[in-house]
């Protein structure tokens, strides 16, 4: 029987409706709404489209949204001063600096300058540490891993005692999701293995997985014979493998392919995320959730 599709596009709509309702309630009771600033440096087309979507989504759920676009030529000192301004701004609960930054700016320095209590991306070392400790320490789980966990839980997949295999060890996906799945608590309590480019017999590890999370950035890396029948397969890969003309708009759009051989894998897996439409839509959704959480922490209602 083919796998059940885990549609991030549908889960996104549900969560955004939940957030919109909660924002309206807080506005009525406390007279404030969450504020999110998105700082974009330069004109990277992919970054522009991500930031535009973030701002539109923030607007949709009733946030105060600020898009602060800066010239590619902004100095590191000026960017740090801008972050300091938003750190001190009482109406801003979340600060996001869109990555990548131009080469003359030290990305680490910039991320470290964001107030950890406004770091809704969850990239600041303080929040990485909080994630590692787990439980009530966690304030802002990074958005893509948080979206992955949400998809698994909302699909009704058992995580407690499950063998989770994560393919890839990036700071943004692999390491944090591995950490989250091994914590004590609902949606976790798993036994976790992380495999990477130096792993021997990657296929044998994958084949043991009840939940296989693939974030390698290699199109079609995971073959159907690597998948345990009935497993839950989460494909985080978004690889541009070509271009086509959109039937809807007539414009050129990227052809996207995941890290999993989807057509064959769906005949073996129990659950699977498509690319696009699976994990992708969850990242911005969880950014909204973290920003709302930030305001709730401030109001003492989280
Ligand atoms: N660039 C690509 N993805 C992200 C993200 O999740 N957060 C930030 N800040 N920049 C990105």
């Amino acid at each position: 029987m083919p796998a059940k599709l885990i549609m991030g596009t549908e889960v996104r709509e549900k969560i955004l409706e939940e957030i919109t309702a909660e924002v309206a309630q807080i506005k009525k009771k406390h007279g404030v709404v969450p504020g999110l600033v998105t700082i974009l440096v330069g004109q990277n087309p992919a970054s522009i489209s991500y930031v535009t979507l973030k701002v539109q989504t923030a607007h949709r759920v009733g946030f105060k949204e600020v898009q602060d676009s800066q010239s590619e030529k902004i100095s590191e000192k000026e960017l740090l001063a801008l972050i300091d301004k938003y750190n001190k701004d009482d109406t801003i609960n979340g600060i996001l600096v869109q990555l990548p930054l131009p080469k003359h700016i030290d990305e680490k320095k910039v991320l470290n300058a964001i107030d950890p209590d406004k770091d809704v991306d969850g990239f600041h070392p303080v929040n990485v540490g909080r994630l590692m400790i787990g439980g009530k320490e966690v304030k802002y789980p990074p958005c893509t891993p948080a979206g992955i966990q949400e998809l698994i839980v909302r699909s009704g997949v058992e995580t407690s005692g499950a063998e989770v295999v994560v393919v890839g060890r990036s700071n943004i996906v692999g390491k944090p999701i591995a950490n989250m799945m091994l914590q004590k608590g609902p949606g976790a309590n798993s036994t976790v293995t992380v495999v990477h480019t130096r792993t021997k017999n990657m296929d044998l590890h994958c084949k043991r997985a009840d939940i296989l999370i693939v974030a390698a950035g290699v199109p079609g890396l995971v073959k159907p014979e690597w998948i345990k029948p009935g497993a839950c397969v989460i494909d985080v890969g978004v690889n541009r493998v070509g271009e086509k003309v959109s039937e809807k708009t007539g414009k050129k759009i990227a052809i996207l392919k995941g890290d999993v051989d989807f057509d064959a894998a769906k005949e073996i897996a129990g659950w699977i995320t498509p690319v696009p439409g699976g994990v992708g839509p969850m990242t911005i959704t969880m950014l909204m959730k973290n920003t709302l959480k930030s305001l709730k922490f401030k109001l003492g209602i989280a």
Side-chain angles (χ1 to χ4, degrees):
M1 197 172 72
K4 293 188 194 106
L5 284 187
I6 301 178
M7 297 304 300
T9 43
E10 288 169 17
V11 178
R12 167 185 61 193
E13 292 310 304
K14 236 174 144 226
I15 296 176
L16 291 182
E17 276 168 27
E18 290 166 9
I19 293 173
T20 306
E22 210 175 337
V23 169
Q25 228 177 19
I26 290 173
K27 189 175 177 183
K28 204 167 153 195
K29 194 160 175 200
H30 299 274
V32 284
V33 295
L36 173 67
V37 60
T38 312
I39 301 172
L40 171 68
V41 179
Q43 298 284 324
N44 178 324
S47 292
I48 291 173
S49 79
Y50 282 133
V51 164
T52 305
L53 202 53
K54 285 170 188 176
V55 172
Q56 282 172 349
T57 309
H59 181 76
R60 175 185 158 183
V61 295
F63 290 2
K64 166 186 165 168
E65 89 286 354
V66 179
Q67 182 178 344
D68 194 331
S69 296
Q70 295 291 330
S71 151
E72 166 113 19
K73 294 200 176 82
I74 190 173
S75 70
E76 187 179 282
K77 200 171 159 200
E78 286 166 326
L79 185 56
L80 292 173
L82 190 65
I83 291 169
D84 190 45
K85 182 185 95 168
Y86 289 118
N87 279 341
K88 290 178 178 144
D89 185 336
D90 240 15
T91 68
I92 294 297
N93 307 100
I95 302 170
L96 181 140
V97 180
Q98 187 66 27
L99 304 176
L101 288 170
K103 287 205 168 59
H104 68 277
I105 297 175
D106 182 344
E107 218 161 80
K108 220 195 264 174
K109 226 182 199 175
V110 169
L111 294 181
N112 290 0
I114 298 172
D115 178 348
D117 290 342
K118 294 189 178 188
D119 167 42
V120 286
D121 249 335
F123 291 167
H124 192 287
V126 166
N127 286 316
V128 176
R130 287 170 172 161
L131 190 80
M132 181 114 184
I133 295 167
K136 290 206 167 26
E137 281 296 317
V138 182
K139 283 200 143 181
Y140 308 117
C143 300
T144 302
I148 293 169
Q149 194 175 35
E150 195 81 39
L151 286 179
I152 295 170
V153 170
R154 289 190 187 231
S155 302
V157 175
E158 180 60 80
T159 61
S160 182
E163 291 277 349
V164 170
V165 176
V166 178
V167 183
R169 53 179 163 175
S170 69
N171 287 331
I172 291 183
V173 184
K175 284 189 218 166
I177 190 63
N179 209 298
M180 288 160 76
M181 297 309 292
L182 64 79
Q183 298 290 350
K184 266 189 192 168
N189 285 327
S190 308
T191 304
V192 179
T193 305
V194 182
V195 303
H196 48 78
T197 44
R198 301 293 174 97
T199 299
K200 290 175 189 150
N201 303 321
M202 193 185 280
D203 54 335
L204 298 183
H205 288 285
C206 291
K207 184 98 193 171
R208 282 191 300 104
D210 300 310
I211 301 172
L212 181 61
I213 301 169
V214 192
V218 181
L221 172 72
V222 172
K223 308 288 179 268
E225 57 275 18
W226 296 19
I227 295 168
K228 180 173 166 178
C232 171
V233 178
I234 305 289
D235 189 350
V236 193
V238 184
N239 305 292
R240 287 163 193 256
V241 294
E243 275 187 344
K244 63 178 178 186
V245 175
S246 163
E247 281 175 25
K248 257 198 217 159
T249 63
K251 286 185 183 164
K252 267 192 193 168
I253 52 168
I255 301 171
L256 302 178
K257 195 167 186 268
D259 290 350
V260 176
D261 179 353
F262 177 82
D263 289 334
K266 77 176 190 316
E267 301 302 325
I268 297 161
W271 294 263
I272 192 165
T273 57
V275 177
V279 174
M282 295 302 291
T283 302
I284 292 178
T285 306
M286 302 319 283
L287 176 70
M288 300 302 133
K289 201 163 174 176
N290 278 348
T291 307
L292 171 59
K293 231 174 155 185
S294 176
L295 175 63
K296 286 168 73 179
F297 282 128
K298 193 173 157 205
L299 296 172
I301 56 170

